[in-house]
Amino acid sequence: MNSRFEINKRKEYQEGLLAAFNVSLPDDFRSDLEELMADKEVSAATKETLRLWREIAAPFSNTLSYIVNNRFILEALPEIIDDDSCDHVTMLAEDVFDLLQRLNKSTAKAFITTVKGKTGCVESLYAALLEGDKKAFVHLLSDHQSDAKPLIRLCRCCWDDVRLGTTIKEDELDPFLEYMSDIPCEDDDDQALNQAVRQVRPSWRRLQESDDADFDRDFEQYFRDCRKFYEAHFRMCVHFYQDNRADFKADEQKLFDSILEQPDAQLLLKESVPCILSDADPDETKPFTLPRDFFEWPHASMMPVEHLYIKKEVVQRGASTFVELINYLAESGYIEDHPAVKALFAYRLTGRCRPEGTLPPITWRGKNGKSYELIFLIRYLSERGDYKKMRRFFQGPEWVKDRDSSYATSADSKFKQRIEELFPEVFEGKK
């Protein structure tokens, strides 16, 4: 390994992390913001909305997007590029270029390296990106001899950052809001954000009317609606951070916590009531099922930190066999025999059908209190045995100290036999 390269990459990451936290804005956008804050005719409520965005919501969401794009996705890169479940969703080469421009250079290079094409294609793409030559980049990526599907899969997982919002032109904002309002709602946070977007859109449209006689009133209403949007988006980001806190490094946690400790941040969160799995789930008496086309669904969260990636051999066996596995685990006492727990287990292993609200750890009851059976599942059914995620998604068993995969052979013999019966293709050649 090139130590100099690693040092430079870490330096780039740390510098980018602080830049994301400090929210460096384009000169013209910053000038407009300062002008509004200094305008005596702009109400105190509107100025307060702008201040909360600049000091609380924007730094938090921008830092989160930076970490997701430049660390989390890279850590899950092998699984993401092998996942073909979303290949029906395409992305324009121009949009790929714009997104890569917002990433760290080392991240962008890792993304581009996944492109399969003729000799020199990757090097030419990266050179065009560094030179800011969008025309050459688009031409190279659009070459019929190049396979850009892995690159597009990675780009589709990336989160928007503050820079996107500052570069959207006036005539592009309405289509952008329309696109956001059509995004499927997977949980309470999604629904709150969707509702806020639907309120902002008509407010923005009224401001664009050339003969608006009530411009001042509509201007204030627009920022009242914007505040609801900022609050909803901030709560969504905070819940994601809280759910996945263990995956953030100490210096990253310090940045987030410095915002959450502020009274203004607590004010934005005061109306937030997290939803957790309840013992009073009304579906408790119903048999657990999954949609027949479960494995054809895209990943609900598009966020690899929340779930594992299941092997293709498991996917090929279909949803009914996967349900058999989950019911077997529940009937044998490994997990609680409750529809909500089973649904959460399905999501943690596949990333599909995300339950609403926060995601608590699943209690695993292994034989003699050990984790061997769970290790067996993670080793053989997931694409990459990620035992760090295993320890975060589950609680209860006695964890082994190291070399987790080697303990899979110690799993209960009847358990191993049943898993091999359900997914024989996974174990072919492993005897």
Side-chain angles (χ1 to χ4, degrees), residues 20 27 34 47 62 99 108 134 193 230 245 260 291 302 335:
D27 290 341
E34 291 173 352
K47 291 180 180 179
N62 205 46
L99 189 148
K134 181 185 285 192
L193 186 63
Y230 298 150
R245 182 182 169 86
L260 294 178
M302 293 301 288
I335 61 174

Side-chain angles (χ1 to χ4, degrees), residues 97-127:
F97 178 88
D98 292 339
L99 189 148
L100 293 176
Q101 285 271 301
R102 300 202 302 270
L103 302 177
N104 285 350
K105 291 179 181 178
S106 58
T107 305
K109 187 173 184 179
F111 278 30
I112 291 174
T113 303
T114 65
V115 175
K116 301 172 185 176
K118 53 190 176 185
T119 304
C121 174
V122 168
E123 291 77 8
S124 298
L125 280 168
Y126 187 58

Side-chain angles (χ1 to χ4, degrees), residues 58-252:
F60 197 97
S61 65
N62 205 46
T63 304
L64 188 58
S65 293
Y66 175 84
I67 296 169
V68 167
N69 294 346
N70 293 284
R71 189 165 69 79
F72 286 174
I73 291 177
L74 285 180
E75 291 173 356
L77 186 146
E79 294 99 323
I80 295 173
I81 64 174
D82 287 339
D83 177 36
D84 59 2
S85 63
C86 295
D87 278 354
H88 62 284
V89 181
T90 59
M91 193 171 184
L92 295 175
E94 292 88 344
D95 293 335
V96 171
F97 178 88
D98 292 339
L99 189 148
L100 293 176
Q101 285 271 301
R102 300 202 302 270
L103 302 177
N104 285 350
K105 291 179 181 178
S106 58
T107 305
K109 187 173 184 179
F111 278 30
I112 291 174
T113 303
T114 65
V115 175
K116 301 172 185 176
K118 53 190 176 185
T119 304
C121 174
V122 168
E123 291 77 8
S124 298
L125 280 168
Y126 187 58
L129 183 73
L130 292 181
E131 294 168 5
D133 190 342
K134 181 185 285 192
K135 184 177 180 180
F137 183 92
V138 170
H139 176 74
L140 287 164
L141 199 64
S142 303
D143 190 322
H144 70 278
Q145 297 183 51
S146 299
D147 179 9
K149 286 182 180 179
L151 171 61
I152 292 174
R153 290 170 194 167
L154 292 166
C155 290
R156 294 288 303 179
C157 287
C158 287
W159 289 20
D160 293 334
D161 58 24
V162 167
R163 281 172 293 181
L164 177 64
T166 61
T167 56
I168 293 179
K169 299 176 182 178
E170 286 191 2
D171 61 347
E172 296 174 337
L173 184 57
D174 190 64
F176 177 72
L177 292 173
E178 182 180 9
Y179 159 75
M180 289 192 65
S181 67
D182 289 338
I183 295 176
C185 296
E186 298 290 343
D187 55 29
D188 293 341
D189 283 338
D190 287 344
Q191 292 173 4
L193 186 63
N194 183 274
Q195 182 178 351
V197 170
R198 291 177 183 274
Q199 286 183 244
V200 168
R201 200 173 168 211
S203 298
W204 170 252
R205 283 179 171 178
R206 283 195 295 272
L207 281 184
Q208 304 313 300
E209 296 175 1
S210 58
D211 58 346
D212 186 3
D214 297 310
F215 179 83
D216 291 341
R217 183 198 65 187
D218 292 339
F219 180 83
E220 297 294 333
Q221 182 61 49
Y222 171 69
F223 276 97
R224 280 196 292 271
D225 292 334
C226 278
R227 173 160 181 152
K228 293 178 181 178
F229 172 79
Y230 298 150
E231 290 173 349
H233 189 253
F234 179 62
R235 285 195 290 269
M236 174 183 289
C237 291
V238 170
H239 290 161
F240 178 86
Y241 167 64
Q242 292 173 336
D243 287 349
N244 302 287
R245 182 182 169 86
D247 288 297
F248 292 91
K249 296 180 179 179
D251 57 337
E252 296 166 347

